[in-house]
Amino acid sequence: MANSYDTGRLNLPFVGISTFGKRPYVEDWSKIDADVAVMGAPFDFGTQFRAGARFGPRSVREASTLFSFGHAGAYDHEDDCTYLPSSVRIVDIGDADIIHTDTARSHANIKTGVQAMLAAGALPVVIGGDHSVNIPCIEAFEGQGDIHILQIDAHLDFVDERHGVRVGHGSPMRRAAEKPWVKGLTQVGIRNVSSTAREGYEAARAMGSDILSVRQMRELGAQGVIARIPKGARVYVTLDIDGFCPSIAPGTGTPSHGGFLYYEVLEMLQEVAKNHEVVGMDLVEVAPDYDPTQSTSILAAQILLNFLGFIFHARAGQ
Amino acid sequence: MANSYDTGRLNLPFVGISTFGKRPYVEDWSKIDADVAVMGAPFDFGTQFRAGARFGPRSVREASTLFSFGHAGAYDHEDDCTYLPSSVRIVDIGDADIIHTDTARSHANIKTGVQAMLAAGALPVVIGGDHSVNIPCIEAFEGQGDIHILQIDAHLDFVDERHGVRVGHGSPMRRAAEKPWVKGLTQVGIRNVSSTAREGYEAARAMGSDILSVRQMRELGAQGVIARIPKGARVYVTLDIDGFCPSIAPGTGTPSHGGFLYYEVLEMLQEVAKNHEVVGMDLVEVAPDYDPTQSTSILAAQILLNFLGFIFHARAGQ
Amino acid sequence: MANSYDTGRLNLPFVGISTFGKRPYVEDWSKIDADVAVMGAPFDFGTQFRAGARFGPRSVREASTLFSFGHAGAYDHEDDCTYLPSSVRIVDIGDADIIHTDTARSHANIKTGVQAMLAAGALPVVIGGDHSVNIPCIEAFEGQGDIHILQIDAHLDFVDERHGVRVGHGSPMRRAAEKPWVKGLTQVGIRNVSSTAREGYEAARAMGSDILSVRQMRELGAQGVIARIPKGARVYVTLDIDGFCPSIAPGTGTPSHGGFLYYEVLEMLQEVAKNHEVVGMDLVEVAPDYDPTQSTSILAAQILLNFLGFIFHARAGQ
Amino acid sequence: MANSYDTGRLNLPFVGISTFGKRPYVEDWSKIDADVAVMGAPFDFGTQFRAGARFGPRSVREASTLFSFGHAGAYDHEDDCTYLPSSVRIVDIGDADIIHTDTARSHANIKTGVQAMLAAGALPVVIGGDHSVNIPCIEAFEGQGDIHILQIDAHLDFVDERHGVRVGHGSPMRRAAEKPWVKGLTQVGIRNVSSTAREGYEAARAMGSDILSVRQMRELGAQGVIARIPKGARVYVTLDIDGFCPSIAPGTGTPSHGGFLYYEVLEMLQEVAKNHEVVGMDLVEVAPDYDPTQSTSILAAQILLNFLGFIFHARAGQ
Amino acid sequence: MANSYDTGRLNLPFVGISTFGKRPYVEDWSKIDADVAVMGAPFDFGTQFRAGARFGPRSVREASTLFSFGHAGAYDHEDDCTYLPSSVRIVDIGDADIIHTDTARSHANIKTGVQAMLAAGALPVVIGGDHSVNIPCIEAFEGQGDIHILQIDAHLDFVDERHGVRVGHGSPMRRAAEKPWVKGLTQVGIRNVSSTAREGYEAARAMGSDILSVRQMRELGAQGVIARIPKGARVYVTLDIDGFCPSIAPGTGTPSHGGFLYYEVLEMLQEVAKNHEVVGMDLVEVAPDYDPTQSTSILAAQILLNFLGFIFHARAGQ
Amino acid sequence: MANSYDTGRLNLPFVGISTFGKRPYVEDWSKIDADVAVMGAPFDFGTQFRAGARFGPRSVREASTLFSFGHAGAYDHEDDCTYLPSSVRIVDIGDADIIHTDTARSHANIKTGVQAMLAAGALPVVIGGDHSVNIPCIEAFEGQGDIHILQIDAHLDFVDERHGVRVGHGSPMRRAAEKPWVKGLTQVGIRNVSSTAREGYEAARAMGSDILSVRQMRELGAQGVIARIPKGARVYVTLDIDGFCPSIAPGTGTPSHGGFLYYEVLEMLQEVAKNHEVVGMDLVEVAPDYDPTQSTSILAAQILLNFLGFIFHARAGQ
């Protein structure tokens, strides 16, 4: 298994077109042939404070090049393991088409993209965009079997309806919980005042949600949290970047202090990858222009690439 | 006529709550009693590149405090004139209520605000938000007599419909031109490729629009441009901050090089104030977080305050 | 108890005039009728490195809107408690008048404001400005009974006099300790080299101060620290934002690495609210223009609103 | 000729992978089949003040999406002309491979790319990178016939050798002038102290260079400047972004006040396109991270797309 | 006359300690032996909007290194002249000592520094700091013969007293006009509302000031403006960076649109250097942290170095 | 032992020329007479992602002034110790001369500087620049006795050669390990994918390296880590700022999440100072322009000054 720079270009991180991980771009969604397909969902009309998540996909792609050194996989000395060997085929299928002023059609286009990835048998990875993009993602799983949702987030996102709004970024988990194919939710990192009021928490619990704060997660540990997900559940992970502490993820619309540090999330993801089939994921709310250091986008890319590594390492081991 | 600091506080620009020009805040829209009413319209789902104009109203208000020194009016040594004496009553009525994900209801709320200002007999001043907020502003003028629109902008904004979108920030002038009470448009500063294609220009001209580029305006001069507006026309001014050169207005969604410098716009506004009844205005597309220097917001505040000075100086002189 | 959006506007965080928490603005200081009054003290001539804290009040007000969703209080799922129900009346009284070049008169105006809040029976909350604004705050407590000061800060601020300076931001705790009505100080978070030299530490200890570093606080825990405050003491809290780690509070004049993370401070404040009467507070040294992410201002707003919630929850429970 | 959004996606500027102008990416340099080929040259070890031009290609590509609305060409109402109709085939061939620490090999890789574009019969467009990348560009023209160089720049870039350095960003025009196939240089915008000392100016003039300052260009006008280029000359254009005024191009390594405004350069480029065969171009020294407003990158993209429009309009008219 | 890099180090702009122009640092003010002495006056408590000018000296020094290439003087091809040959001895004497909270003592220390430079026979160059630092500069000229002041500024700075403030940055020209040794003022660039009200303009004219706006200067031309200064007058130049357009000088406390472009100021300075003895200068109000592009500081350094070149070229020619 | 402000200037941090710690500048490297000599190495052509470390020395010097209050040493209340009393003589010798485009000569100049410091008997402290500057630093120790290297870093930096590159910032530890006088390496903080692939780790271990991740260090504790360094070893410390968490050190070229917090590194350095002779150090990869908050530079200065304090406290105690 050769490193790509042995035979071709050195291809330093700052060189070249920014697809996700510098992987091939597949423009025709009927021709996806890969283990993983990555799609952007640059929609941010669902936000309630700062916008800008529309540039999330571009910035995460750009940041992902930092982790592209042309090696034949990503060696991790702690695990003594090379993740994402060349046998794991990842493609970037570009972005869902977004229609300004029109939430319904934009969401529909996102759903179409996820359906295409699922139809191709690829693991769908969606980069938001605000958290409302999770709504069409979950809708696309209709007919794909039961799923459990693991949400890492500062906010519960369980608003039912307010002033007629049902599909804003404060509602995705409510919309998910309503779906027959969503059998449960584990919501981790939830803290502070947000668009969800007390009644939202009560509704979530009534609909079977397991709500954990950052401090509660710290007491349980990563293993303890993941152990609360039903055995055998097929898990969809939705990762709102504001689940992290603003110290490492300030580039987001509604930052909330007191969030997770890096290893806390990494270890939950490694644990869920070991113990469950992961059937899809989205990473949302990166608003890169609020972080001139680019740390937020780098975090998003680093987490996604590591999580994909864990998933396919677990699959390979089975 | 006393300067306010003679009897009260020094009230330096950096001190105090940021209403527009530190003028009184009127929360109850049924109780507007003023010559000028200023309202924010923090809507930006109509944008096609960078969002962030939702923070336009806050930042323009904050910047406007720089021009608030507690003097009894604003003395201009070039004109040897004190503009905006205390007899001109300006109020800030806060923002129109914006509903995330919902363009129609957000626009409706903006229209309600402009109607309230008009009903009170105040000159309506709307701070955007993206240029789509002009659509409900113009709708609110139904039944208020005929108007002519003076648009200062980089873009023609004359898209009819595309992918079902009719009320995005690329369409306000088309929507305006369709109104029976809009008798003509003067569109100045138009340049470069934008969301309006050739057919939009043809339609605009067919619907009676007078289109001028920056270089064409420079040849005509401010007086020459304003002389093309029909005599006696009651004029509504819509000022897209991207009509200016990005050198002084980088904080906007779709910057376009080659725009106007400060005095070019100032002099057109002074000229229109001298020669026409100005019946309303909006200033749109300030996206402050893209300009860490705050120059864009300062420009917006400076232009608005000067224009108001010119208008009421002209009214006083009649 | 209704959420405000049920009957009126949705009033998203990015909409509306930025008073603290979008609470009513009371311009006439003789008419304060509230449980809590918030005043800005935008003074920063007392700084020894970066200025800019004059924009602290504006930025903290703006950030505080992020936590204003129109709910009937702030539900905290960890405590299963709704803080700050509508029965807690909070007002914003604007800023103390600051006189450039003149420290003495600026400080005097701050003192006047705090006296007005105290006279009205409101809990005074002052947003700086640099830490020297604490000096007039403490002076305003003359005749208000004995107090104990809990300071959370990177720096001891115990300089007596240097080059004639006695009221800079390096001296407030020394000035406080000299007051007969200040019975003791607990100074937490103190670390690194600063304007206070060894003799300042010796003087502080001699004057009855209890000095704790970040690491010492971590060993004691929040409860352990607060237990060192004399039982029954009425506590005034002065919170210098640089007590926090620069990772979450870079927007300050003299950052010092190794500071507190979010929950450490939150838990000390919750503990002091439970065990003591809190009689006033200031939050100082937010210099927002050094933090383009706005994390610092959001932190300040989040901490203040939570602390107020704890205080009135404790009062309600008594 | 259909607009692409009529049949497919709306494809707003903020949507999709960032190739230049969202044009097709051709990875295999032996398969370039286009009228124009765009290549990045992200090399910046040749800089003498601020680095960062290595991110020029990425940022110019990203900015170029602002001008991609899916129209069937770019309509210019001043010229009443639709530039860049779909018949002009533009491709993006990615970046030359850059080898950190190694100037010689990095330059060699750039030369290889330009040779590939020339071999394919495409007009080569190179986006730097610092101005030293012009050296391999000009070397690639060996055997391609005689050329004249039009340089728009603040600096003469005519250093022969200093401390052994012959291929830094202060020397490209000297290196070009030495080539037998370079028959002359027109150097416009030159001003202020720089790495070229008096002897460099003398050498340039001796080697046949025509040196013009910004003020001299203003006196001559765009037509007057271009008229000084020998009739019939085949022209290669090298555009250093610091030729522009820092007001619109602050994102560069060595800004120099007093530079060109937008139309001055645009009109020189339009004039040269009308009167000469343009055989290649590079645009260098965009260091995007020094311009948080992105104005510099937008300027670069806007100028390149307009210039390409002028060139192919002229070719079509012949 | 050798270039320094011929015999020693290449000494690129980004290398080395940042004194002004990389000139020698003279710590002992009794040992100044130079033609020009440069001193920082990092005082900003006199500001009425944004602070931060305290970092003006550091940033202008840092920016000045961009113009330091080790050449034996600065060759200007437009004038065909090498300015600032090594025979012109320039030293940096560091900063005046600033005392936080104490305007009077800080100003006194600035005065001491200027007196030291004058006593040594060096041309004093003071880098602010806010414009109030001009007050001690002018005071230091007592007993040095009559002077005329040429002020380039957006603001008249002619406030007599307000709320007891007489030495803030709104008053320096009033304070100067009161001095017996100041025989007249030429105030150029004045525009827009500021801290000076109508009565200030009337007082200025009564005290012999010649007030010109930007547009008036443009009509007169640089020569026309300088021709209004009495023949034979010894001129002190005070240059407020906000006299420039915010497009090139956004890094300042109180930006005002409509200011000067680069050559307008440069040519006035060249003209005054040709026609008058220049006896001192200050450049104030650079607040670098409001300009992340560093353009403002680069402008300040570029203007100062060119002006010094003009002055000593004129002296040499006499 | 007097504080300097008792007899002279107050000399606040924002005042004065920025040498390291405001210590004396020694231009002539043959006249270094000090305990510690600090040199900048502003070289960054060895970087593989973001450049900009060339401004590391300037920014760390500037940040170091924050810790310069003129006290007679730095009092630490936790240790009850005054570090860096005036008896410890520190000088700043400026920067090594960097030659753009030329890695070999730039590195050679750095080596010359370190040799000069060693020859003078001063402890050499080098501020980078990218990590490749460590290569000439270690080369300068030839003939100085055996050393052990303690590296704190996110990356192993153990690339042997790729595309001919042997002296980029991915290779310094490999180059060091090859030196006969380097007897061992302790590499702490290593994590995530980087330019070193699996074979680099294997080679490092084979060459005697002890590799520890952040989480492994946390398990061992600072004492546990330092205990793994052979007793009696003379230690050279190379500190890559990206060893820290991006939350406090975002201003670097290749940030890597999951890094060290402040006290973790501080305590390792305090421990190594107590137990070993420290013979030299470099601190590299500060790219200040990627951190507009300046936190990264402040961290670098704070760590360096504390480490020097620990070293000389240990020496004094022996």
Side-chain angles (χ1 to χ4, degrees), chain E residues 9-94:
Chain E
R9 295 156 51 100
L10 179 56
N11 208 358
L12 291 172
F14 65 80
V15 172
I17 302 292
S18 297
T19 55
F20 185 78
K22 294 196 188 170
R23 300 301 175 118
Y25 170 46
V26 175
E27 189 176 3
D28 183 343
W29 292 0
S30 69
K31 293 187 177 157
I32 301 167
D33 179 21
D35 300 297
V36 179
V38 180
M39 181 184 79
F43 173 91
D44 63 6
F45 328 151
T47 48
Q48 297 173 104
F49 194 51
R50 308 192 294 203
R54 64 180 61 187
F55 288 109
R58 275 197 189 157
S59 73
V60 176
R61 283 182 179 113
E62 198 167 311
S64 74
T65 65
L66 172 53
F67 304 102
S68 172
F69 280 92
H71 300 316
Y75 179 68
D76 184 307
H77 77 94
E78 290 185 84
D79 296 347
D80 190 22
C81 173
T82 296
Y83 291 110
L84 296 180
S86 55
S87 58
V88 179
R89 299 162 307 146
I90 302 177
V91 296
D92 188 326
I93 68 165

Side-chain angles (χ1 to χ4, degrees), chain A residues 13-86:
Chain A
F14 64 80
V15 172
I17 303 292
S18 297
T19 55
F20 185 78
K22 295 195 188 170
R23 300 300 176 119
Y25 170 48
V26 175
E27 190 176 3
D28 184 342
W29 291 0
S30 69
K31 295 187 177 156
I32 301 168
D33 179 21
D35 300 297
V36 179
V38 179
M39 180 184 79
F43 173 91
D44 62 5
F45 327 152
T47 48
Q48 298 175 101
F49 195 50
R50 309 192 294 203
R54 63 180 61 187
F55 289 109
R58 275 197 190 156
S59 73
V60 175
R61 283 182 178 113
E62 198 167 312
S64 74
T65 65
L66 172 53
F67 304 102
S68 171
F69 280 93
H71 300 317
Y75 178 68
D76 184 307
H77 77 93
E78 290 184 85
D79 296 348
D80 190 22
C81 172
T82 296
Y83 291 111
L84 296 179
S86 54

Side-chain angles (χ1 to χ4, degrees), chain D:
Chain D
M1 200 166 54
N3 296 319
S4 71
Y5 48 78
D6 288 340
T7 53
R9 296 157 50 101
L10 179 56
N11 208 359
L12 292 172
F14 64 81
V15 172
I17 301 293
S18 297
T19 56
F20 186 77
K22 295 195 188 171
R23 300 300 176 118
Y25 170 48
V26 175
E27 191 176 2
D28 184 341
W29 291 359
S30 70
K31 295 188 176 156
I32 301 169
D33 179 20
D35 300 297
V36 179
V38 180
M39 181 184 78
F43 173 90
D44 62 5
F45 327 151
T47 50
Q48 296 174 103
F49 194 50
R50 308 190 296 201
R54 62 180 62 185
F55 289 108
R58 275 195 190 159
S59 73
V60 175
R61 285 183 177 111
E62 197 168 312
S64 74
T65 65
L66 172 53
F67 304 102
S68 172
F69 280 93
H71 300 317
Y75 179 68
D76 184 306
H77 77 94
E78 290 185 84
D79 296 347
D80 191 21
C81 173
T82 296
Y83 291 111
L84 296 180
S86 53
S87 58
V88 180
R89 299 162 306 146
I90 303 176
V91 297
D92 187 326
I93 67 163
D95 290 347
D97 201 38
I98 300 302
I99 314 299
H100 57 306
T101 73
D102 192 335
T103 298
R105 296 180 67 181
S106 300
H107 278 183
N109 289 338
I110 295 166
K111 182 178 174 184
T112 299
V114 178
Q115 287 173 325
M117 297 188 273
L118 288 170
L123 178 75
V125 176
V126 174
I127 304 173
D130 70 50
H131 213 156
S132 75
V133 306
N134 170 270
I135 297 172
C137 290
I138 297 304
E139 288 174 349
F141 274 81
E142 185 171 11
Q144 299 279 334
D146 292 346
I147 59 176
H148 184 95
I149 293 181
L150 170 62
Q151 174 203 20
I152 297 171
D153 199 334
H155 309 99
L156 198 69
D157 294 349
F158 224 86
V159 172
D160 185 13
E161 175 173 334
R162 208 148 58 220
H163 276 234
V165 180
R166 296 177 57 84
V167 294
H169 78 159
S171 298
M173 293 302 103
R174 181 74 167 241
R175 294 292 86 80
E178 296 165 349
K179 300 286 181 293
W181 57 92
V182 175
K183 295 302 178 191
L185 292 93
T186 302
Q187 303 184 272
V188 196
I190 314 306
R191 58 193 189 273
N192 293 317
V193 62
S194 72
S195 57
T196 307
R198 178 195 277 268
E199 55 266 33
Y201 287 86
E202 291 164 350
R205 290 200 182 91
M207 292 167 87
S209 175
D210 186 21
I211 304 173
L212 295 168
S213 74
V214 170
R215 289 181 289 191
Q216 289 162 342
M217 178 270 159
R218 284 174 182 162
E219 277 181 34
L220 291 166
Q223 283 190 308
V225 168
I226 300 307
R228 296 162 74 105
I229 298 176
K231 267 195 202 306
R234 299 168 67 244
V235 176
Y236 181 97
V237 176
T238 182
L239 176 47
D240 187 322
I241 203 76
D242 69 22
F244 285 99
C245 179
S247 65
I248 48 174
T252 192
T254 52
S256 178
H257 285 279
F260 289 123
L261 300 181
Y262 176 68
Y263 289 116
E264 292 168 335
V265 172
L266 188 77
E267 291 170 4
M268 285 193 285
L269 295 178
Q270 188 163 18
E271 197 66 21
V272 81
K274 279 183 187 159
N275 292 285
H276 291 274
E277 183 189 358
V278 176
V279 297
M281 74 185 72
D282 58 64
L283 186 154
V284 298
E285 297 286 358
V286 174
D289 295 328
Y290 285 101
D291 181 1
T293 71
Q294 307 174 352
S295 286
T296 311
S297 304
I298 291 170
L299 175 63
Q302 188 173 333
I303 278 284
L304 280 178
L305 283 162
N306 275 282
F307 189 24
L308 290 173
F310 298 150
I311 291 168
F312 285 87
H313 184 68
R315 289 193 186 180
Q318 281 162 348

